Amino acid sequence: TILVLDFGSQYSHLITRRLREFNVYAEMLPCTQKISELTWKPKGVILSGGPYSVYDKDAPHVDHDVFKLDVPILGICYGMQELAWINGRGVARGEHREYGHATIHVKDSDNKLFHGIDNFQVWMSHGDKLNDLPTGFKTIATTDNSPYAAIAHEKENIWGIQFHPEVTHTTKGKQLLRNFAIDICQADQKWNMKNFIHTEIERIRTLVGEHGEVIGAVSGGVDSTVAAKLMKEAIGDRFHAILVDNGVMRLNECAEVKKTLSDGLGINLTVIDAADEFLSKLKGVTDPEKKRKIIGNTFIHIFEREAARIQPKAGGEIEYLLQGTLYPDVIESISFKGPSQTIKTHHNVGGLLEDMKLKLIEPLRELFKDEVRALGELMGIPHDLVWRHPFPGPGIAIRILGEVTPEQIKIARHADHIYIEEIKKAGIYDKISQAFACLLPVKSVGVMGDQRTYEQVIALRAIETSDFMTADWYIFDAAFLKNVAKRIVNEVDGVARVVYDITSKPPATVEWE
Ligand code: XMP
């Protein structure tokens, strides 16, 4: 395992991601981690970049015991300046930021870090830079702008680079990280999905014991399904999955999820039909945040009530609550956010734990989304489910603008169903990150046959994004949109007009509410 100490750079998590791409396991911890409190010994340490200057009064500094580990160390950007700072010389306060591409000139292609890589393009993003070599170091690469773009203390096995190898703009960055992890640190290349399944199942069995029981909510999304399947493989029917039908899922969704999870994957599933309960609470509510709160709270209430009714299978007690937390959520809660570090809670169903006195079990907490999908495929979860677009917890309640009534749900569901069906038929579902129909609370005039109509508007949304923080609207063929609009107006009672949303995020959000 390689230890990545995070100094708060927006790229830090990509370091662990890249290392895993060549099967080296890496774990990220905040830069304030006390080395004496580590429960495992890393094969090497990477100090990430960060937004600070080592001269800042409250700049974070690494525990000096890191040098006592006697393993190779690589400092990236701030990490390199930190090494020079500890060394006592070499860091110059940046006069202006350097941001963008630069060409690296490798001075010594024999050195292990640049083995097999020559002059290449890198991504620079820094304020301070080195103006002198720290004692014992030599220069191994330069750019036109920095004479110390990469430095090495070969005897101590300490390396520093000014650029970011973890971003894809750095063309040979992955090879460089590979050289560090495999050639320099001699890390094992044993991390892969098959091993992951095996060790995770063993870990769950040990944790839960022979009689322990676990409950968890499933939604039909990829994360909760993969987590549930892992639990089923580990402890069989002692895992109790609960699917709450909140009345605002998509057309036929509840029945389909039930079929896939229960019949297909053999998961011990209880479906709770709570549609009426949710809808009565949503009556008269139009404010989006109120809708979210009502749905979230009602969900917790129903889940707790139903969980209390579950009969343990092995006579033991229900001790654990399963959550499909992913690595990005974990990173969000552990990454270094500065001296006044704020820890964000990452529980999707926050509130459940305190009340229910359950311990948390999170089998996916080491994985990125694409790794969860790979795991899902490997565990025999149907392709359509593995690659499903994300669907918000409050469901179509936040896609029906204004009050959520059974009539409005019927219209919104039907229009959305036609839209998604056409997207799948056109073979573009996997190219789109998320697509859905919104029902607007405005009426517009239309004409059908010889009749004047006066009915509602459907807005179609489709976006492409890698992280949902920013998104671009998807460019459909005009013929595709023409066909979808025609079908919706003809087939869905209550809709007289269809529009396509051509706003990116920002300034708009993905959802309309
Ligand atoms: P926005 O609308 O914030 O959406 O740009 C970004 C992503 O988050 C999803 N989303 C939600 N998911 N509960 C959820 O579970 C919510 O309340 C919620 N609001 C938005 C949205 O579908 C998109 O994928």
Side-chain angles (χ1 to χ4, degrees), residues 292 390-394 398-399 434 468 505 508-511 513:
R292 280 192 169 81
F391 185 63
I398 55 166
R399 294 171 179 178
Q434 197 172 11
F468 294 89
K505 171 180 179 176
T509 52
V510 175
E511 301 290 347
E513 282 201 332

Side-chain angles (χ1 to χ4, degrees), residues 302-324:
I302 292 173
F303 186 86
E304 285 179 351
R305 189 180 70 202
E306 296 307 321
R309 290 190 196 159
I310 297 260
Q311 290 299 321
K313 292 272 175 184
E317 258 185 78
I318 297 182
E319 253 184 294
Y320 289 93
L321 176 70
L322 171 72
Q323 281 202 341

Side-chain angles (χ1 to χ4, degrees), residues 288-289 292 348 389-395 398-399 433-434 436 461 463 465 467-471 505 508-513:
E289 287 312 303
R292 280 192 169 81
N348 298 327
H389 293 170
F391 185 63
I398 55 166
R399 294 171 179 178
S433 309
Q434 197 172 11
F436 54 87
R461 184 91 164 121
I463 52 135
T465 175
D467 57 7
F468 294 89
M469 303 297 286
T470 62
K505 171 180 179 176
T509 52
V510 175
E511 301 290 347
W512 275 50
E513 282 201 332

Side-chain angles (χ1 to χ4, degrees), residues 282-358:
L282 286 169
K283 214 173 195 153
V285 180
T286 55
D287 178 73
E289 287 312 303
K290 274 202 188 121
K291 288 183 189 173
R292 280 192 169 81
K293 255 201 198 102
I294 289 171
I295 293 173
N297 291 341
T298 310
F299 174 83
I300 290 175
H301 174 72
I302 292 173
F303 186 86
E304 285 179 351
R305 189 180 70 202
E306 296 307 321
R309 290 190 196 159
I310 297 260
Q311 290 299 321
K313 292 272 175 184
E317 258 185 78
I318 297 182
E319 253 184 294
Y320 289 93
L321 176 70
L322 171 72
Q323 281 202 341
T325 316
L326 304 194
Y327 196 54
D329 309 320
V330 177
I331 287 172
E332 184 65 26
S333 65
I334 62 169
S335 69
F336 186 73
K337 305 257 172 44
S340 57
Q341 192 169 356
T342 46
I343 309 277
K344 181 183 146 193
T345 56
H346 58 263
H347 306 137
N348 298 327
V349 279
L352 274 181
L353 286 173
E354 294 88 68
D355 288 2
M356 299 182 69
K357 301 189 181 65
L358 291 173

Side-chain angles (χ1 to χ4, degrees), residues 94-239:
E95 273 145 34
H96 43 251
R97 288 192 68 80
E98 185 183 5
Y99 190 78
H101 290 284
T103 304
I104 284 283
H105 308 292
V106 177
K107 279 188 71 172
D108 167 12
S109 53
D110 278 348
N111 85 76
K112 289 191 203 156
L113 194 63
F114 289 117
H115 187 80
I117 44 184
D118 218 321
N119 300 349
F120 61 109
Q121 285 281 313
V122 298
W123 183 253
M124 288 284 194
S125 169
H126 62 97
D128 293 350
K129 65 179 190 181
L130 295 197
N131 68 344
D132 197 0
L133 269 180
T135 315
F137 282 78
K138 66 175 188 178
T139 304
I140 54 174
T142 61
T143 66
D144 292 344
N145 216 349
S146 6
Y148 310 109
I151 59 170
H153 192 313
E154 282 179 343
K155 202 165 124 259
E156 300 277 340
N157 228 337
I158 300 179
W159 309 75
I161 49 182
Q162 184 60 70
F163 53 91
H164 289 271
E166 66 277 24
V167 302
T168 48
H169 301 301
T170 296
T171 49
K172 307 275 175 62
K174 193 164 152 184
Q175 177 67 34
L176 186 147
L177 287 172
R178 189 188 175 98
N179 288 347
F180 177 72
I182 296 170
D183 300 343
I184 298 177
C185 304
Q186 307 202 315
D188 295 332
Q189 284 179 277
K190 287 192 184 147
W191 164 263
N192 67 39
M193 257 335 141
K194 272 212 179 94
N195 287 343
F196 174 84
I197 295 176
H198 183 73
T199 39
E200 198 50 35
I201 286 177
E202 283 310 313
R203 199 183 69 84
I204 294 168
R205 285 184 183 150
T206 312
L207 189 69
V208 174
E210 258 176 62
H211 303 289
E213 313 247 345
V214 180
I215 52 164
V218 288
S219 64
V222 59
D223 304 343
S224 65
T225 306
V226 171
K229 176 69 175 159
L230 263 177
M231 294 307 299
K232 140 108 198 144
E233 295 296 317
I235 60 169
D237 284 354
R238 285 187 289 133
F239 170 62

